[in-house]
């Protein structure tokens, strides 16, 4: 079967290696049928991000046009060799959808899909937003402890899913708080929130990403866990594969192993997007 990787970054976000063309060439070399270019959407218009080093987290508003036109040109250049999809990974910030949409709506028609992700948490205290998946904020993670971080994370996911103003197609790296291998002590309470979040994903008819980056982190497993993927399968939630590559050598990382695991659970289809329209491919 032909593999498709729907989650990649590149040097335009200021923390990944390689040009967009480097990723496309590597994907062609790996014989992928589809490569999704899905860099981080800008942050600088958001409020309460004083502690977030956003210049290193995402492309800037000014760079959007270059990102899109470069990808569009490369899509044409390599059209006979691979299907290049154009996307953004967008962070949800509560009550800031209006500012986001002012920028997003201008370019949305050029996107094949949107990944909705959460990388920062705001406990509504004087710490403000901080990046719970960024090693530089490990002190904050430890200050709250895993239980609070996991619960706040799923609460934020639920707010994202209930926000009619926040537009998305795919949920990125669903159980990201496990990145550094912190485990909640009250597993049951956290799992209740996982299930609540899954039912909202089902209600909104969204796709969930099986993200292999977790295998390269301390957690040493894909996002989400097998336990969660089994619940997703029972709910008939569609899935898509993403490597979250920040280096061309990470493209389609561990996809063959993951497909084996997914088939063992019962999945035999993966979602696919074109200009925000969803279809499925057999695996
Ligand atoms: Zn990144
Ligand atoms: Zn992400």
């Amino acid at each position: 079967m032909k593999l498709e990787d729907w989650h990649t970054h590149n040097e335009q976000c200021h923390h990944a290696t390689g040009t967009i063309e480097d990723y496309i060439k590597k994907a062609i070399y790996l014989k992928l049928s589809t490569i999704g270019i899905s860099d981080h959407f800008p942050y600088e218009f958001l409020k309460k991000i004083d502690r977030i080093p956003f210049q290193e987290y995402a492309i800037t508003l000014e760079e959007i046009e270059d990102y899109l036109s470069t990808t569009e040109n490369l899509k044409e250049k390599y059209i006979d060799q691979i299907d290049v999809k154009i996307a953004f990974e967008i962070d949800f910030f509560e009550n800031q959808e209006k500012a986001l949409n002012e920028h997003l709506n201008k370019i949305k028609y050029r996107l094949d899909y949107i990944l909705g992700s959460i990388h920062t948490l705001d406990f509504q205290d004087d710490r403000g937003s901080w990046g719970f998946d960024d090693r530089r904020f490990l002190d904050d993670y430890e200050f709250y402890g895993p239980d609070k971080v996991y619960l706040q994370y799923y609460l934020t996911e639920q707010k994202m899913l209930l926000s009619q103003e926040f537009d998305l197609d795919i949920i990125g790296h669903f159980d990201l708080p496990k990145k550094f291998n912190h485990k909640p002590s009250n597993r049951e309470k956290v799992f209740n929130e996982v299930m609540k979040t899954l039912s909202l994903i089902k209600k909104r008819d969204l796709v969930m990403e099986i993200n292999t980056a977790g295998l390269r982190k301390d957690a040493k497993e894909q996002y989400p866990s097998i336990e969660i993927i089994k619940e997703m399968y029972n709910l008939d939630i569609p899935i898509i594969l993403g490597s979250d590559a920040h280096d061309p050598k990470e493209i389609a990382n561990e996809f063959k192993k993951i497909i084996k695991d997914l088939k063992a659970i019962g999945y035999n289809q993966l979602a696919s997007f074109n200009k925000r329209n969803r279809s499925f491919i057999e695996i």
Side-chain angles (χ1 to χ4, degrees):
M1 67 161 298
K2 291 275 191 173
L3 297 174
E4 305 192 338
D5 189 341
W6 292 83
H7 191 163
T8 69
H9 298 277
N10 60 79
E11 65 184 18
Q12 296 215 3
C13 70
H14 313 283
H15 63 266
T17 319
T19 64
I20 298 172
E21 190 161 18
D22 291 338
Y23 284 78
I24 294 171
K25 281 183 174 165
K26 181 70 192 235
I28 292 169
Y29 172 79
L30 293 170
K31 299 193 165 51
L32 265 60
S33 53
T34 300
I35 178 91
I37 305 300
S38 59
D39 223 339
H40 299 278
F41 195 77
Y43 271 66
E44 70 260 37
F45 53 86
L46 294 162
K47 293 194 184 87
K48 287 182 73 186
I49 55 164
D50 312 356
R51 293 183 63 210
I52 307 273
F54 58 84
Q55 300 88 342
E56 304 161 33
Y57 273 28
I59 73 171
T60 63
L61 287 171
E62 208 181 301
E63 290 164 339
I64 287 183
E65 182 51 41
D66 179 51
Y67 169 74
L68 292 173
S69 53
T70 300
T71 311
E72 284 160 354
N73 291 337
L74 290 166
K75 181 184 176 77
E76 285 311 309
K77 181 172 172 187
Y78 291 103
I79 201 150
D80 296 331
Q81 295 170 73
I82 195 164
D83 193 358
V84 176
K85 303 289 190 186
I86 305 169
F88 271 116
E89 181 180 23
I90 305 182
D91 270 72
F92 171 74
F93 282 81
E94 196 184 352
N95 298 328
Q96 301 202 52
E97 298 95 320
K98 204 167 167 262
L100 165 68
N101 288 334
E102 265 170 40
H103 300 287
L104 180 59
N105 286 342
K106 288 186 213 149
I107 55 101
K108 208 148 85 174
Y109 70 98
R110 294 163 80 176
L111 303 180
D112 287 305
Y113 61 98
I114 294 170
L115 271 161
S117 295
I118 292 166
H119 304 94
T120 72
L121 293 175
D122 181 0
F123 285 75
Q124 308 294 332
D125 54 18
D126 51 17
R127 283 180 185 241
S129 287
W130 55 280
F132 70 91
D133 81 324
D134 182 339
R135 225 170 249 288
R136 289 171 290 183
F137 289 98
L138 269 182
D139 284 352
D140 296 77
Y141 199 123
E142 274 143 25
F143 170 80
Y144 294 104
D147 287 62
K148 278 193 180 154
V149 170
Y150 275 80
L151 291 171
Q152 183 71 15
Y153 171 81
Y154 287 116
L155 191 74
T156 313
E157 284 270 329
Q158 290 163 19
K159 283 180 176 162
M160 171 173 86
L161 290 158
L162 288 167
S163 165
Q164 293 308 314
E165 273 89 32
F166 191 80
D167 194 8
L168 78 168
D169 303 292
I170 305 168
I171 302 285
H173 42 63
F174 182 65
D175 56 355
L176 186 61
K178 76 181 178 193
K179 177 171 175 178
F180 303 119
N181 208 24
H182 290 92
K183 300 219 164 68
S185 53
N186 195 338
R187 277 179 47 89
E188 207 185 308
K189 196 169 176 192
V190 170
F191 209 73
N192 280 340
E193 296 307 316
V194 166
M195 291 306 291
K196 249 199 246 171
T197 313
L198 289 183
S199 74
L200 292 174
I201 291 168
K202 177 68 189 168
K203 227 187 240 168
R204 250 181 107 160
D205 191 24
L206 296 171
V207 170
M208 282 180 79
E209 176 198 26
I210 309 297
N211 178 313
T212 59
L215 289 160
R216 308 190 293 271
K217 311 292 178 190
D218 299 345
K220 293 275 177 275
E221 64 171 24
Q222 74 293 325
Y223 309 111
S225 64
I226 294 292
E227 187 186 19
I228 295 173
I229 298 175
K230 284 182 180 162
E231 299 292 349
M232 288 156 48
Y233 178 73
N234 291 336
L235 288 165
D236 198 20
I237 294 174
I239 53 170
I240 210 158
L241 297 187
S243 67
D244 212 343
H246 282 70
D247 184 313
K249 66 173 192 261
E250 294 167 345
I251 292 174
N253 187 230
E254 301 276 19
F255 275 18
K256 286 190 178 136
K257 171 207 159 359
I258 285 295
I259 287 174
K260 237 177 30 202
D261 294 346
L262 293 170
K263 281 186 169 173
I265 291 168
Y267 274 106
N268 52 29
Q269 281 188 328
L270 294 173
S272 182
F273 286 91
N274 190 48
K275 292 284 176 206
R276 315 282 318 274
N277 289 314
R278 184 166 93 194
S279 58
F280 288 95
I281 57 161
E282 303 297 317
I283 52 170

